[in-house]
Amino acid sequence: RRSTNVPVQVIAPRGDRFVTLPLARSAVRWAPRLSVREVEGGHWVVRSAPSSVAGWIAELVDEVCGCTTEVAPLSSDQRP
């Protein structure tokens, strides 16, 4: 059985019909340091809310390293 002991965050949109919350939570058997962040949105939340996703990732990095991560806002040509 392969597993990891590094912090893993699953961003789990409540409206995702493909990767359901129970499926996201089941990853704990491979990643004991799993955190599941339930968010509003659908399967493509990374595309529909990139700044929010970047912020959630930065929060995990801050928690793990004990530092503060700045997230730069998207420029107009980077927005979906």
Side-chain angles (χ1 to χ4, degrees), residues 4-39:
T4 184
N5 197 33
V6 299
V8 174
Q9 174 179 232
V10 174
I11 297 171
R14 291 182 188 98
D16 193 332
R17 295 179 292 163
F18 305 101
V19 182
T20 62
L21 291 172
L23 179 61
R25 289 187 194 107
S26 73
V28 73
R29 66 184 137 194
W30 297 286
R33 295 176 67 189
L34 175 73
S35 64
V36 177
R37 180 184 292 265
E38 294 182 34
V39 300

Side-chain angles (χ1 to χ4, degrees), residues 29-77:
R29 66 184 137 194
W30 297 286
R33 295 176 67 189
L34 175 73
S35 64
V36 177
R37 180 184 292 265
E38 294 182 34
V39 300
E40 294 303 320
H43 186 72
W44 294 107
V45 72
V46 172
R47 182 160 171 80
S48 63
S51 294
S52 295
V53 172
W56 299 325
I57 294 168
E59 286 177 19
L60 176 67
V61 170
D62 291 351
E63 181 181 317
V64 170
C65 76
C67 58
T68 302
T69 306
E70 295 294 324
V71 177
L74 293 175
S75 64
S76 60
D77 62 324

